[in-house]
Amino acid sequence: MKDAHEVQTAPVVALGLIGGYLTARETRIRALGGVVLGLAGVYAGRTWLAKRGPLTTTGLSAAYLLGFGLSHPLAKKIGAWPSVLTVTAAVAGAAALASDHAD
């Protein structure tokens, strides 16, 4: 596994949110999408903790989970893909600013 200090988490966040949605949609197994979402979240969280500490990890983890949760009601207003992409851009952007490019 790559050293946590060498990982850029914005792409990991994007993989988790977009990949989780796509996996659930294509397989019709929501739990499998949740596995993708969860694994990416744990990998990103490990990196956030090593790079930025528990406070940043808590904030970014909350943003990741909140983004996932908010994508569902947002999808009813703007559609599934636009919702997933909007939430992903917001959370990946936060990860980039708070962890990947914070130094």
Side-chain angles (χ1 to χ4, degrees):
M1 187 178 306
K2 196 172 191 178
D3 180 78
H5 291 91
E6 297 176 11
V7 175
Q8 297 294 306
T9 60
V12 175
V13 165
L15 174 70
L17 291 167
I18 293 172
Y21 168 71
L22 190 57
T23 299
R25 180 177 166 220
E26 294 301 314
T27 65
R28 297 182 192 259
I29 303 171
R30 291 181 69 154
L32 192 55
V35 168
V36 173
L37 179 80
L39 289 174
V42 168
Y43 191 62
R46 156 202 175 258
T47 300
W48 296 328
L49 186 59
K51 285 174 133 178
R52 307 303 297 166
L55 190 60
T56 298
T57 301
T58 300
L60 289 173
S61 295
Y64 186 71
L65 293 173
L66 186 63
F68 167 70
L70 289 176
S71 69
H72 293 84
L74 184 60
K76 292 179 182 185
K77 296 187 182 293
I78 65 172
W81 273 114
S83 172
V84 170
L85 295 175
T86 298
V87 166
T88 299
V91 180
L97 290 173
S99 178
D100 298 345
H101 304 295
D103 295 322

